[in-house]
Amino acid sequence: MSAGSAGQTTQGALRHVLGHLLTPLLMCVGMGLAYLGAFHAPQPHDLRVDIVGSGPQAQVLAQTLQDKGDGALDVRTVPDRATATAHLRDRASFGAYIPGGGAAAGPELLVASGSSDTSAMAVEKVFTKVAATHGEPLKVTDVAPVASGDPTGQGIFFLLVALSIGSYASVAVIGGAGAVLPMRIRALLAAGMSLVVSLIGTVFAGPLFHLVDQGLGGVWALSWLYSAGILLIGVGLHTFLKRWTTLGVMVLFVMLNFTSSGGIYRPELQPGFFGSLHAFWNGAGFVEGVRGHVYFAGDALGRNVLVLSLWFLAGVLLTVLAGTTEARRTRAAEHTPEKTIEKGAEKGAERDVEHGSERDAEEEMEEAVGV
Protein backbone atom coordinates (compact mmCIF):
# COMPACT_ATOMS: atom_id res chain seq x y z
CA MET A 1 0.00 0.00 0.00
CA SER A 2 1.40 3.41 -0.96
CA ALA A 3 1.92 6.24 1.53
CA GLY A 4 -0.88 8.20 -0.16
CA SER A 5 -3.35 5.34 0.18
CA ALA A 6 -2.39 4.83 3.82
CA GLY A 7 -2.91 8.52 4.51
CA GLN A 8 -6.33 8.49 2.88
CA THR A 9 -7.27 5.40 4.91
CA THR A 10 -6.17 7.11 8.14
CA GLN A 11 -8.08 10.27 7.29
CA GLY A 12 -11.21 8.27 6.49
CA ALA A 13 -10.96 6.33 9.74
CA LEU A 14 -10.42 9.56 11.69
CA ARG A 15 -13.50 11.17 10.13
CA HIS A 16 -15.46 8.02 10.96
CA VAL A 17 -14.39 8.12 14.62
CA LEU A 18 -15.03 11.85 14.95
CA GLY A 19 -18.51 11.35 13.51
CA HIS A 20 -19.27 8.74 16.15
CA LEU A 21 -17.80 10.91 18.95
CA LEU A 22 -20.53 13.45 18.27
CA THR A 23 -23.04 11.11 19.93
CA PRO A 24 -21.39 11.00 23.39
CA LEU A 25 -20.80 14.76 23.27
CA LEU A 26 -24.49 15.38 22.61
CA MET A 27 -25.34 12.95 25.41
CA CYS A 28 -23.00 14.79 27.77
CA VAL A 29 -24.70 18.10 27.01
CA GLY A 30 -28.17 16.59 27.19
CA MET A 31 -27.60 14.75 30.46
CA GLY A 32 -26.06 17.84 32.06
CA LEU A 33 -28.93 20.07 31.01
CA ALA A 34 -31.55 17.51 32.06
CA TYR A 35 -30.17 16.30 35.38
CA LEU A 36 -28.72 19.58 36.63
CA GLY A 37 -31.74 21.49 35.39
CA ALA A 38 -34.10 19.14 37.21
CA PHE A 39 -32.18 18.29 40.39
CA HIS A 40 -29.47 20.85 41.18
CA ALA A 41 -31.58 23.21 43.33
CA PRO A 42 -34.88 21.68 44.46
CA GLN A 43 -37.21 24.33 45.85
CA PRO A 44 -40.89 23.93 46.75
CA HIS A 45 -43.48 25.82 44.74
CA ASP A 46 -47.22 25.50 45.32
CA LEU A 47 -46.56 22.57 47.67
CA ARG A 48 -49.99 21.79 49.06
CA VAL A 49 -50.24 21.55 52.87
CA ASP A 50 -53.20 21.65 55.25
CA ILE A 51 -53.70 23.32 58.60
CA VAL A 52 -56.18 21.38 60.73
CA GLY A 53 -58.69 23.59 62.49
CA SER A 54 -61.54 25.98 61.75
CA GLY A 55 -60.99 28.70 64.32
CA PRO A 56 -59.20 32.06 64.02
CA GLN A 57 -55.87 30.55 65.13
CA ALA A 58 -55.80 28.08 62.23
CA GLN A 59 -56.86 30.76 59.72
CA VAL A 60 -54.16 33.18 60.87
CA LEU A 61 -51.47 30.48 60.79
CA ALA A 62 -52.48 29.40 57.29
CA GLN A 63 -52.45 32.96 55.96
CA THR A 64 -49.11 33.72 57.63
CA LEU A 65 -47.47 30.65 56.08
CA GLN A 66 -48.99 31.44 52.69
CA ASP A 67 -47.64 35.00 52.79
CA LYS A 68 -44.20 34.11 54.10
CA GLY A 69 -43.84 31.23 51.67
CA ASP A 70 -43.99 33.61 48.69
CA GLY A 71 -45.38 30.93 46.39
CA ALA A 72 -43.51 28.00 47.94
CA LEU A 73 -46.58 26.66 49.76
CA ASP A 74 -50.24 26.31 48.95
CA VAL A 75 -51.74 26.42 52.44
CA ARG A 76 -55.38 25.60 53.18
CA THR A 77 -57.38 24.82 56.27
CA VAL A 78 -59.38 21.64 56.83
CA PRO A 79 -61.89 21.06 59.63
CA ASP A 80 -60.52 17.87 61.19
CA ARG A 81 -57.83 15.20 61.23
CA ALA A 82 -59.90 12.73 59.19
CA THR A 83 -60.22 15.19 56.30
CA ALA A 84 -56.49 15.93 56.41
CA THR A 85 -55.68 12.22 56.37
CA ALA A 86 -58.02 11.66 53.42
CA HIS A 87 -56.23 14.42 51.47
CA LEU A 88 -52.88 12.76 52.15
CA ARG A 89 -54.16 9.37 51.05
CA ASP A 90 -55.61 10.91 47.88
CA ARG A 91 -52.26 12.66 47.32
CA ALA A 92 -54.08 15.98 47.22
CA SER A 93 -51.71 17.34 49.89
CA PHE A 94 -48.25 16.49 51.22
CA GLY A 95 -48.56 17.44 54.87
CA ALA A 96 -51.15 18.38 57.49
CA TYR A 97 -50.26 20.40 60.59
CA ILE A 98 -52.33 20.03 63.73
CA PRO A 99 -51.56 22.93 66.10
CA GLY A 100 -50.90 22.05 69.72
CA GLY A 101 -53.69 22.23 72.24
CA GLY A 102 -51.63 22.84 75.34
CA ALA A 103 -49.16 20.74 77.31
CA ALA A 104 -51.30 17.63 76.99
CA ALA A 105 -51.38 17.74 73.20
CA GLY A 106 -48.41 19.21 71.36
CA PRO A 107 -48.32 20.00 67.61
CA GLU A 108 -48.46 17.09 65.20
CA LEU A 109 -47.56 16.82 61.52
CA LEU A 110 -49.16 14.20 59.28
CA VAL A 111 -47.19 13.14 56.19
CA ALA A 112 -47.33 10.34 53.59
CA SER A 113 -43.80 9.29 52.71
CA GLY A 114 -45.17 6.74 50.23
CA SER A 115 -46.17 9.66 48.02
CA SER A 116 -42.68 11.21 48.08
CA ASP A 117 -40.13 11.02 50.85
CA THR A 118 -38.42 14.23 49.72
CA SER A 119 -41.72 16.14 49.74
CA ALA A 120 -42.45 14.80 53.23
CA MET A 121 -39.01 15.97 54.36
CA ALA A 122 -39.60 19.43 52.88
CA VAL A 123 -42.91 19.74 54.71
CA GLU A 124 -41.38 18.49 57.95
CA LYS A 125 -38.63 21.12 57.68
CA VAL A 126 -41.22 23.90 57.37
CA PHE A 127 -43.37 22.82 60.30
CA THR A 128 -40.48 21.96 62.59
CA LYS A 129 -39.67 25.67 62.45
CA VAL A 130 -43.32 26.57 63.07
CA ALA A 131 -43.46 24.36 66.17
CA ALA A 132 -40.10 25.72 67.39
CA THR A 133 -41.46 29.29 67.42
CA HIS A 134 -43.94 28.12 70.07
CA GLY A 135 -41.25 26.27 71.98
CA GLU A 136 -42.84 22.86 71.38
CA PRO A 137 -41.46 19.63 69.87
CA LEU A 138 -43.14 18.39 66.71
CA LYS A 139 -44.62 14.91 66.53
CA VAL A 140 -44.54 13.44 63.01
CA THR A 141 -47.02 10.73 61.99
CA ASP A 142 -46.64 8.92 58.68
CA VAL A 143 -50.06 7.83 57.41
CA ALA A 144 -48.66 6.02 54.34
CA PRO A 145 -45.17 4.74 55.16
CA VAL A 146 -42.92 3.12 52.57
CA ALA A 147 -42.00 -0.57 52.62
CA SER A 148 -39.34 -1.67 55.07
CA GLY A 149 -37.04 -2.62 52.19
CA ASP A 150 -37.22 0.89 50.74
CA PRO A 151 -36.53 3.27 53.65
CA THR A 152 -35.70 6.25 51.41
CA GLY A 153 -38.79 5.78 49.23
CA GLN A 154 -36.62 5.97 46.10
CA GLY A 155 -36.36 2.27 45.34
CA ILE A 156 -39.18 2.55 42.78
CA PHE A 157 -37.15 5.15 40.92
CA PHE A 158 -34.11 2.88 40.74
CA LEU A 159 -36.38 0.06 39.59
CA LEU A 160 -37.46 2.43 36.82
CA VAL A 161 -33.78 2.93 35.91
CA ALA A 162 -33.15 -0.83 35.68
CA LEU A 163 -36.23 -1.40 33.52
CA SER A 164 -35.31 1.49 31.25
CA ILE A 165 -31.72 0.35 30.69
CA GLY A 166 -32.80 -3.20 29.93
CA SER A 167 -35.36 -1.89 27.46
CA TYR A 168 -33.45 0.74 25.51
CA ALA A 169 -30.26 -1.34 25.36
CA SER A 170 -32.33 -4.12 23.79
CA VAL A 171 -33.48 -1.65 21.15
CA ALA A 172 -29.90 -1.31 19.85
CA VAL A 173 -29.52 -5.08 19.59
CA ILE A 174 -32.86 -5.72 17.90
CA GLY A 175 -32.58 -2.71 15.61
CA GLY A 176 -28.90 -3.23 14.79
CA ALA A 177 -28.14 -6.94 14.72
CA GLY A 178 -31.74 -7.76 13.85
CA ALA A 179 -32.13 -5.20 11.07
CA VAL A 180 -32.20 -7.95 8.43
CA LEU A 181 -35.21 -9.58 10.07
CA PRO A 182 -38.78 -8.72 9.06
CA MET A 183 -40.42 -6.09 11.21
CA ARG A 184 -42.97 -8.57 12.59
CA ILE A 185 -40.11 -10.72 13.94
CA ARG A 186 -38.43 -7.68 15.50
CA ALA A 187 -41.74 -6.67 17.07
CA LEU A 188 -42.12 -10.16 18.56
CA LEU A 189 -38.56 -9.97 19.88
CA ALA A 190 -39.39 -6.61 21.47
CA ALA A 191 -42.49 -8.07 23.12
CA GLY A 192 -40.49 -11.05 24.38
CA MET A 193 -37.68 -8.88 25.76
CA SER A 194 -40.19 -6.64 27.54
CA LEU A 195 -41.58 -9.72 29.26
CA VAL A 196 -38.12 -10.83 30.37
CA VAL A 197 -37.11 -7.33 31.52
CA SER A 198 -40.35 -6.90 33.48
CA LEU A 199 -39.90 -10.28 35.19
CA ILE A 200 -36.37 -9.34 36.20
CA GLY A 201 -37.67 -6.05 37.58
CA THR A 202 -40.37 -7.85 39.53
CA VAL A 203 -37.77 -10.11 41.13
CA PHE A 204 -35.80 -7.01 42.12
CA ALA A 205 -38.90 -5.32 43.56
CA GLY A 206 -40.15 -8.33 45.50
CA PRO A 207 -38.12 -11.32 46.67
CA LEU A 208 -34.65 -9.86 46.13
CA PHE A 209 -34.77 -6.33 47.58
CA HIS A 210 -38.31 -6.11 49.06
CA LEU A 211 -38.96 -2.67 47.60
CA VAL A 212 -42.67 -3.41 47.89
CA ASP A 213 -44.41 -5.62 50.42
CA GLN A 214 -47.70 -6.09 48.55
CA GLY A 215 -49.23 -5.92 45.09
CA LEU A 216 -46.31 -7.56 43.31
CA GLY A 217 -48.51 -8.77 40.44
CA GLY A 218 -49.58 -5.23 39.69
CA VAL A 219 -45.96 -4.05 39.79
CA TRP A 220 -45.12 -6.69 37.16
CA ALA A 221 -48.00 -5.58 34.92
CA LEU A 222 -46.94 -1.93 35.10
CA SER A 223 -43.31 -2.94 34.48
CA TRP A 224 -44.25 -4.91 31.36
CA LEU A 225 -46.42 -2.13 29.95
CA TYR A 226 -43.65 0.41 30.57
CA SER A 227 -40.88 -1.76 29.06
CA ALA A 228 -42.96 -2.81 26.04
CA GLY A 229 -43.70 0.83 25.20
CA ILE A 230 -39.99 1.71 25.19
CA LEU A 231 -38.99 -1.32 23.12
CA LEU A 232 -41.67 -0.88 20.48
CA ILE A 233 -41.02 2.86 20.15
CA GLY A 234 -37.28 2.23 19.89
CA VAL A 235 -37.59 -0.55 17.32
CA GLY A 236 -39.93 1.61 15.26
CA LEU A 237 -37.64 4.65 15.48
CA HIS A 238 -34.65 2.61 14.32
CA THR A 239 -36.07 2.40 10.81
CA PHE A 240 -35.90 6.19 10.54
CA LEU A 241 -33.00 7.18 12.84
CA LYS A 242 -30.58 4.26 12.29
CA ARG A 243 -27.43 4.85 14.38
CA TRP A 244 -29.00 7.93 15.97
CA THR A 245 -31.61 5.72 17.60
CA THR A 246 -29.47 5.34 20.74
CA LEU A 247 -29.35 9.11 21.19
CA GLY A 248 -33.07 9.36 20.45
CA VAL A 249 -34.13 6.83 23.06
CA MET A 250 -31.69 8.36 25.56
CA VAL A 251 -33.42 11.72 25.16
CA LEU A 252 -36.89 10.21 25.44
CA PHE A 253 -36.36 7.60 28.14
CA VAL A 254 -33.46 8.91 30.21
CA MET A 255 -32.92 12.66 29.94
CA LEU A 256 -36.58 13.68 29.93
CA ASN A 257 -37.93 10.52 31.53
CA PHE A 258 -35.92 10.03 34.72
CA THR A 259 -35.93 13.73 35.53
CA SER A 260 -39.71 14.12 35.21
CA SER A 261 -40.70 10.80 36.81
CA GLY A 262 -41.08 12.18 40.34
CA GLY A 263 -38.97 9.32 41.68
CA ILE A 264 -36.49 11.65 43.41
CA TYR A 265 -38.33 14.98 43.53
CA ARG A 266 -41.97 15.49 42.71
CA PRO A 267 -42.99 18.34 40.37
CA GLU A 268 -43.69 20.59 43.38
CA LEU A 269 -39.94 20.66 44.07
CA GLN A 270 -38.77 21.02 40.45
CA PRO A 271 -38.72 23.67 37.71
CA GLY A 272 -41.98 23.97 35.83
CA PHE A 273 -40.75 22.31 32.63
CA PHE A 274 -40.16 18.96 34.31
CA GLY A 275 -43.35 19.32 36.32
CA SER A 276 -45.33 19.69 33.09
CA LEU A 277 -43.75 16.53 31.64
CA HIS A 278 -44.70 14.66 34.81
CA ALA A 279 -48.34 14.87 33.79
CA PHE A 280 -47.98 12.59 30.75
CA TRP A 281 -44.48 11.06 30.47
CA ASN A 282 -44.20 7.30 30.73
CA GLY A 283 -41.69 7.22 33.62
CA ALA A 284 -44.03 9.31 35.75
CA GLY A 285 -46.87 6.99 34.79
CA PHE A 286 -44.85 4.03 36.05
CA VAL A 287 -43.59 5.61 39.30
CA GLU A 288 -46.91 7.17 40.29
CA GLY A 289 -48.79 4.07 39.16
CA VAL A 290 -46.68 1.80 41.39
CA ARG A 291 -46.99 4.23 44.31
CA GLY A 292 -50.74 4.44 43.94
CA HIS A 293 -51.07 0.69 43.59
CA VAL A 294 -48.81 -0.25 46.51
CA TYR A 295 -49.30 2.55 49.04
CA PHE A 296 -52.59 4.30 48.27
CA ALA A 297 -55.12 1.55 47.53
CA GLY A 298 -55.08 2.17 43.77
CA ASP A 299 -55.42 5.96 43.90
CA ALA A 300 -55.08 7.41 40.35
CA LEU A 301 -54.00 3.98 39.10
CA GLY A 302 -56.39 4.09 36.13
CA ARG A 303 -54.97 7.41 34.94
CA ASN A 304 -51.39 6.17 35.12
CA VAL A 305 -52.26 2.92 33.34
CA LEU A 306 -53.83 5.08 30.61
CA VAL A 307 -50.58 7.07 30.29
CA LEU A 308 -48.52 3.88 29.92
CA SER A 309 -51.09 2.39 27.51
CA LEU A 310 -50.92 5.45 25.26
CA TRP A 311 -47.13 5.17 25.11
CA PHE A 312 -47.51 1.47 24.30
CA LEU A 313 -50.05 2.29 21.58
CA ALA A 314 -47.64 4.90 20.16
CA GLY A 315 -45.02 2.14 20.00
CA VAL A 316 -47.39 -0.19 18.17
CA LEU A 317 -48.33 2.49 15.63
CA LEU A 318 -44.70 3.51 15.12
CA THR A 319 -43.71 -0.12 14.56
CA VAL A 320 -46.48 -0.57 11.99
CA LEU A 321 -45.40 2.64 10.24
CA ALA A 322 -41.77 1.46 10.24
CA GLY A 323 -42.77 -1.90 8.75
CA THR A 324 -44.77 -0.17 6.02
CA THR A 325 -41.88 2.17 5.25
CA GLU A 326 -39.39 -0.70 4.99
CA ALA A 327 -41.70 -2.65 2.69
CA ARG A 328 -42.04 0.39 0.43
CA ARG A 329 -38.27 0.86 0.36
CA THR A 330 -37.79 -2.80 -0.57
CA ARG A 331 -40.28 -2.58 -3.44
CA ALA A 332 -38.59 0.57 -4.73
CA ALA A 333 -35.16 -1.09 -4.60
CA GLU A 334 -36.44 -4.15 -6.47
CA HIS A 335 -37.65 -1.99 -9.37
CA THR A 336 -34.39 -0.06 -9.67
CA PRO A 337 -32.71 -1.07 -13.00
CA GLU A 338 -29.28 -2.53 -12.42
CA LYS A 339 -29.02 -4.70 -15.53
CA THR A 340 -25.68 -3.27 -16.51
CA ILE A 341 -23.89 -4.41 -13.36
CA GLU A 342 -21.76 -7.47 -13.88
CA LYS A 343 -22.40 -10.47 -11.71
CA GLY A 344 -19.01 -10.40 -10.05
CA ALA A 345 -19.22 -6.71 -9.22
CA GLU A 346 -22.76 -7.18 -7.94
CA LYS A 347 -21.71 -9.94 -5.58
CA GLY A 348 -18.76 -7.89 -4.37
CA ALA A 349 -21.04 -4.93 -3.69
CA GLU A 350 -23.43 -7.15 -1.78
CA ARG A 351 -20.57 -8.42 0.37
CA ASP A 352 -19.43 -4.85 1.03
CA VAL A 353 -22.92 -3.80 2.04
CA GLU A 354 -23.28 -6.83 4.25
CA HIS A 355 -19.97 -6.19 5.99
CA GLY A 356 -20.80 -2.49 6.32
CA SER A 357 -24.16 -3.30 7.87
CA GLU A 358 -22.55 -5.68 10.33
CA ARG A 359 -19.98 -3.06 11.25
CA ASP A 360 -22.67 -0.40 11.75
CA ALA A 361 -24.70 -2.79 13.90
CA GLU A 362 -21.69 -3.60 16.07
CA GLU A 363 -20.80 0.08 16.48
CA GLU A 364 -24.36 0.95 17.37
CA MET A 365 -24.54 -1.77 20.02
CA GLU A 366 -21.15 -0.73 21.41
CA GLU A 367 -22.40 2.84 21.73
CA ALA A 368 -25.51 1.69 23.55
CA VAL A 369 -23.56 -0.54 25.94
CA GLY A 370 -21.06 2.25 26.59
CA VAL A 371 -23.89 4.61 27.48
Side-chain angles (χ1 to χ4, degrees):
M1 180 182 296
S2 66
S5 299
Q8 291 178 354
T9 301
T10 301
Q11 290 177 2
L14 182 59
R15 285 195 298 270
H16 183 74
V17 172
L18 291 176
H20 279 268
L21 284 175
L22 180 61
T23 299
L25 288 177
L26 291 174
M27 289 179 178
C28 176
V29 173
M31 293 288 280
L33 290 174
Y35 273 73
L36 294 176
F39 297 148
H40 84 287
Q43 294 290 337
H45 56 86
D46 297 321
L47 185 64
R48 168 70 187 276
V49 295
D50 292 335
I51 304 297
V52 179
S54 55
Q57 180 185 3
Q59 295 288 344
V60 170
L61 177 59
Q63 190 61 51
T64 301
L65 287 173
Q66 183 74 43
D67 294 340
K68 287 185 176 180
D70 192 25
L73 301 176
D74 177 13
V75 189
R76 308 183 191 186
T77 59
V78 295
D80 50 46
R81 182 191 184 99
T83 303
T85 301
H87 285 175
L88 287 166
R89 293 192 179 280
D90 292 341
R91 292 185 285 181
S93 73
F94 299 94
Y97 182 72
I98 306 173
E108 182 180 8
L109 176 66
L110 308 180
V111 296
S113 61
S115 177
S116 171
D117 186 65
T118 51
S119 295
M121 291 171 62
V123 171
E124 184 175 346
K125 183 178 180 180
V126 169
F127 287 103
T128 297
K129 293 179 180 179
V130 172
T133 60
H134 296 89
E136 297 177 301
L138 179 66
K139 175 185 176 183
V140 180
T141 302
D142 195 342
V143 301
V146 294
S148 58
D150 185 21
T152 66
Q154 296 176 7
I156 294 173
F157 171 75
F158 292 109
L159 175 62
L160 171 78
V161 172
L163 293 171
S164 303
I165 291 175
S167 300
Y168 76 69
S170 299
V171 167
V173 177
I174 296 173
V180 297
L181 297 172
M183 178 55 73
R184 65 180 182 278
I185 301 298
R186 278 176 278 162
L188 288 174
L189 286 172
M193 278 303 299
S194 66
L195 176 61
V196 174
V197 168
S198 64
L199 288 174
I200 292 173
T202 304
V203 172
F204 287 160
L208 190 56
F209 293 111
H210 305 287
L211 303 178
V212 300
D213 49 18
Q214 60 181 341
L216 196 59
V219 173
W220 167 77
L222 291 167
S223 299
W224 176 81
L225 194 55
Y226 172 76
S227 177
I230 292 178
L231 271 152
L232 289 173
I233 288 174
V235 169
L237 283 176
H238 191 273
T239 298
F240 306 100
L241 301 183
K242 300 299 182 184
R243 63 172 290 260
W244 296 105
T245 305
T246 297
L247 179 61
V249 296
M250 283 286 290
V251 171
L252 289 174
F253 304 122
V254 176
M255 297 176 192
L256 299 179
N257 189 26
F258 293 174
T259 51
S260 65
S261 67
I264 302 296
Y265 299 112
R266 277 189 53 84
E268 294 81 9
L269 297 179
Q270 290 187 294
F273 171 73
F274 297 98
S276 63
L277 293 182
H278 184 83
F280 61 90
W281 220 257
N282 62 337
F286 175 78
V287 169
E288 299 299 348
V290 171
R291 283 173 172 168
H293 170 63
V294 175
Y295 297 126
F296 296 96
D299 172 63
L301 180 59
R303 180 192 176 282
N304 290 300
V305 169
L306 176 62
V307 168
L308 293 175
S309 298
L310 289 175
W311 280 84
F312 174 80
L313 180 60
V316 172
L317 294 176
L318 189 56
T319 302
V320 171
L321 177 61
T324 303
T325 301
E326 290 181 1
R328 186 171 62 250
R329 290 173 181 173
T330 301
R331 288 194 299 270
E334 289 174 350
H335 288 83
T336 300
E338 300 200 3
K339 302 292 186 180
T340 59
I341 300 177
E342 296 182 359
K343 293 291 185 179
E346 184 176 353
K347 291 181 180 179
E350 287 177 354
R351 284 196 297 270
D352 290 342
V353 170
E354 182 179 350
H355 293 325
S357 299
E358 290 176 356
R359 184 182 66 250
D360 291 343
E362 289 176 359
E363 289 173 348
E364 182 179 345
M365 287 184 284
E366 287 170 359
E367 284 182 0
V369 172
V371 172

